[in-house]
Amino acid sequence: MFFKVLLFVGSLLFISSGFAAKLPLEKLKMPVGFKVSVWATVPGARSLAQAPDGRIFVGTRSGDKVYVVQNGKAQVLAQGLDTPNGVAYKDGKLYVAEISRILEFDVSKQTALPMKPSRILEQKFPSDTHHGWKFIRFGPDGLLYVPVGANCNICDPGKEYARIYKIDVNGNSKEEIAQGIRNTVGFDFHPTTKELWFTDNGRDWLGDDRPPDELNRLTKIGENFGFPGCHGKDILDPEFGKGKSCRNFTPPVAELRAHVAALGMRFYTGNMFPAEYKNSIILAEHGSWNRSTAQGYRLTFVKLNGSQVEKVDGFVEGWLQGDSAWGRPVDVEVLSDGSMLVSDDKAGVIYRVTYQGK
């Protein structure tokens, strides 16, 4: 068991990284030249967002807190929140997604921590907790992209669910841009085309190897990606696929392994890693539960040629040892120096992935 040590200094909560040294990082396997180290200790670390000054904001799902990490130290930025999984930064403001609403925090200047939200956005979302936690991210258009997961494992979820929206944080607009998406907890925008790419978690209880998790690409507003009738490229649901054809839905650009729980993903836009990683994708597989033999619990590399997927392969593995996992990667974020951060909500840390050459 790993013990987190919490140190109180004045009114601020600092989180000690002493226990992180006990994590078995030597069990992690990766391509030659790469290295993984513990960058910060953050209990329940989930979604990541960064400010231009180097601050990293960290959402949580199991707790009620959002953290800010600066100079290797994590502090509680806000607390008492409802499943604050999603975080996104823009123009001195931090946006935090709860289950049914989005909060704005003014982080443009120094202030006492924990802080209170400066505003609650006008747009509202369903209060269902099933797939209710959210990943949020600003797009190239300056709008905030917000998913609403299906409120079930498999069902006809109704008009509000299994969709992605985009909203104006300075107004009240809320536009649906995609549907038929069971639960996406990670997306990014292609560095060249600016198209939205996103992961999607497949349904449970169709067996160990069906259906696949998905990597999807949105090419036009209003595309339907198949849920609940079609899974992957050509698997009709035994109940909700009756009378349907997968040809009528947008297929994934890549089928991932079943039940790996693909979450956060980023296009690698840095200059530290080898050239083949440039403008390709690294995504986090949080790991399976609905499978007789566990799989996932790794970082995956998706090699692209333009917008075409050339290969999908393991990148960093070893959090899973047999059927026991000591860590579960959640989200990734590329830093200005080209290194990459990876959150882990089981180990309660953020790792830094660097490349030092062969």
Side-chain angles (χ1 to χ4, degrees):
M1 178 180 291
F2 304 121
F3 295 92
K4 301 178 179 68
V5 180
L6 305 182
L7 304 178
F8 288 88
V9 182
S11 62
L12 299 184
L13 173 61
F14 293 91
I15 299 145
S16 169
S17 60
F19 89 104
K22 299 180 181 179
L23 293 176
L25 298 182
E26 71 279 359
K27 295 184 182 297
L28 296 177
K29 307 299 180 185
M30 65 208 76
V32 173
F34 285 92
K35 178 183 178 181
V36 176
S37 58
V38 173
W39 184 76
T41 300
V42 183
R46 294 276 295 189
S47 298
L48 303 173
Q50 63 178 308
D53 61 9
R55 286 176 296 170
I56 298 295
F57 302 98
V58 189
T60 62
R61 176 186 159 190
S62 58
D64 66 344
K65 298 177 176 61
V66 169
Y67 297 88
V68 57
V69 183
Q70 192 168 23
N71 300 322
K73 290 184 177 181
Q75 301 176 42
V76 176
L77 180 97
Q79 58 189 6
L81 307 179
D82 180 13
T83 320
N85 185 85
V87 288
Y89 175 92
K90 189 175 188 295
D91 299 334
K93 304 294 195 300
L94 180 71
Y95 297 87
V96 176
E98 295 186 305
I99 296 289
S100 63
R101 63 182 187 172
I102 297 174
L103 310 177
E104 178 189 271
F105 293 83
D106 186 350
V107 294
S108 62
K109 50 186 179 294
Q110 291 286 346
T111 187
L113 299 180
M115 62 189 305
K116 299 293 184 183
S118 54
R119 187 165 64 100
I120 300 173
L121 300 196
E122 294 185 32
Q123 296 88 345
K124 304 300 180 186
F125 298 91
S127 59
D128 308 61
T129 57
H130 196 130
H131 296 152
W133 57 93
K134 292 173 174 56
F135 176 94
I136 57 174
R137 190 165 177 83
F138 280 97
D141 54 7
L143 300 178
L144 185 64
Y145 287 66
V146 185
V148 175
N151 55 345
C152 59
N153 167 42
I154 181 72
C155 64
D156 184 350
K159 293 183 178 181
E160 288 188 275
Y161 304 90
R163 284 160 164 76
I164 298 178
Y165 300 87
K166 62 179 180 179
I167 68 173
D168 180 0
V169 297
N170 296 312
N172 58 11
S173 67
K174 178 183 176 183
E175 179 186 359
E176 178 189 315
I177 62 166
Q179 59 180 295
I181 302 158
R182 181 175 178 270
N183 188 36
T184 178
V185 198
F187 46 80
D188 199 6
F189 298 86
H190 193 285
T192 303
T193 68
K194 309 305 180 185
E195 291 173 333
L196 174 67
W197 291 56
F198 61 93
T199 59
D200 191 14
N201 290 177
R203 63 156 292 182
D204 301 317
W205 309 116
L206 276 189
D208 274 2
D209 298 313
R210 299 171 73 238
D213 275 14
E214 299 177 1
L215 176 63
N216 291 288
R217 168 189 171 207
L218 181 71
T219 60
K220 60 183 179 181
I221 297 295
E223 281 183 291
N224 189 322
F225 291 86
F227 181 87
C230 184
H231 312 294
K233 294 180 179 179
D234 56 8
I235 300 175
L236 283 174
D237 190 82
E239 179 181 358
F240 294 93
K242 293 177 180 178
K244 295 182 172 64
S245 170
C246 287
R247 293 192 298 271
N248 296 328
F249 304 109
T250 301
V253 292
E255 291 184 332
L256 308 174
R257 297 176 302 165
H259 309 302
V260 296
L263 300 185
M265 56 152 284
R266 295 291 191 281
F267 288 93
Y268 181 75
T269 54
N271 295 313
M272 178 185 287
F273 294 3
E276 69 169 328
Y277 291 87
K278 189 76 170 184
N279 292 345
S280 288
I281 294 169
I282 295 176
L283 62 85
E285 295 182 1
H286 195 231
S288 63
W289 68 269
N290 180 235
R291 198 171 188 277
S292 60
T293 302
Q295 67 180 2
Y297 304 92
R298 72 175 192 179
L299 296 182
T300 295
F301 173 48
V302 182
K303 177 70 172 68
L304 300 184
N305 182 358
S307 291
Q308 300 301 312
V309 174
E310 287 193 342
K311 68 175 181 179
V312 179
D313 204 358
F315 175 48
V316 179
E317 304 185 64
W319 285 285
L320 179 65
Q321 298 291 314
D323 275 338
S324 179
W326 58 269
R328 303 188 77 182
V330 178
D331 197 16
V332 293
E333 183 74 22
V334 181
L335 297 182
S336 59
D337 66 359
S339 63
M340 175 172 277
L341 299 183
V342 181
S343 60
D344 182 334
D345 62 348
K346 181 176 177 67
V349 299
I350 298 173
Y351 309 99
R352 181 170 175 249
V353 182
T354 55
Y355 180 75
Q356 300 173 323
K358 295 184 179 179

